[in-house]
Structures are given as structure tokens and as C-alpha cells.
Amino acid sequence: MVEPLVRSLLYIIEIVRFFVIAHFIMSWLIRFEVLNVRQEFVGQVWYGLQRLLEPIYSRVRRYMPDLGGVDLSPLVVLIGLEIIRNFLVYR
């Protein structure tokens, strides 16, 4: 009974992890003007990821100190997901 639930949670964690990594890479590519959010596809992907991940990032940012222009919330989210994944795998 528990095994399918754990497997489902692990799949969800992997999907969220993929989205966070994609968002992180896109943010750097947009910052260095490799990608342009005015292109239709890039803009849709970027704003879709923003809407999906911003609720998670904003909760993490509440507890983090202000580091100026550096946003470490994606890194904290990835570390948190890895801790949860390890807990589920090695329980």
C-alpha cells in the first residue's frame, strides 16, 4: 500500500526538480541574452515556469536573508527536494 504512494511522490519530486533546473538554466540564458522572452515560445515557457515555481520560491525567500541581487531560493528548493527524496528512498 505504501510503495505506490512513495513511488508517486518520487515521480513528483523528479518533475519538480526538472522544472527548477530548467527555470534556473533559463534565467541565466535570459540574463546573458542568449534567450529572449519576447520570442513567443520562450516567453510562454518562461512565464509558465514562473507561475508554477514562484509560490514555492516565495515561501523559501521568507526565511532567507536578503543577499542583494542573488537569489538562492532555487538552490534551497533543490536541496530540500533531495532531502525529501533521500528520506523516502532510505526509510
Side-chain angles (χ1 to χ4, degrees):
M1 181 74 176
V2 175
E3 189 64 33
L5 178 64
V6 170
R7 204 170 325 130
S8 298
L9 289 173
L10 288 173
Y11 287 139
I12 291 170
I13 288 172
E14 288 301 315
I15 291 169
V16 172
R17 206 168 128 211
F18 173 77
F19 286 155
V20 170
I21 291 170
H23 186 254
F24 179 77
I25 291 171
M26 278 189 78
S27 71
W28 279 92
L29 291 175
I30 290 169
R31 168 93 54 211
F32 291 113
E33 297 179 1
V34 175
L35 293 177
N36 187 350
V37 292
R38 288 176 288 207
Q39 293 173 336
E40 186 177 347
F41 178 73
V42 174
Q44 287 178 351
V45 172
W46 174 250
Y47 293 120
L49 287 173
Q50 282 283 103
R51 283 191 299 269
L52 187 69
L53 295 172
E54 191 57 36
I56 298 169
Y57 292 162
S58 65
R59 286 186 176 90
V60 171
R61 285 185 195 119
R62 268 191 248 156
Y63 300 103
M64 293 183 60
D66 185 22
L67 299 174
V70 180
D71 183 18
L72 295 178
S73 57
L75 180 63
V76 173
V77 169
L78 285 175
I79 292 170
L81 289 172
E82 190 64 24
I83 290 170
I84 294 169
R85 188 186 76 77
N86 285 338
F87 176 75
L88 291 173
V89 169
Y90 301 114
R91 58 181 161 78

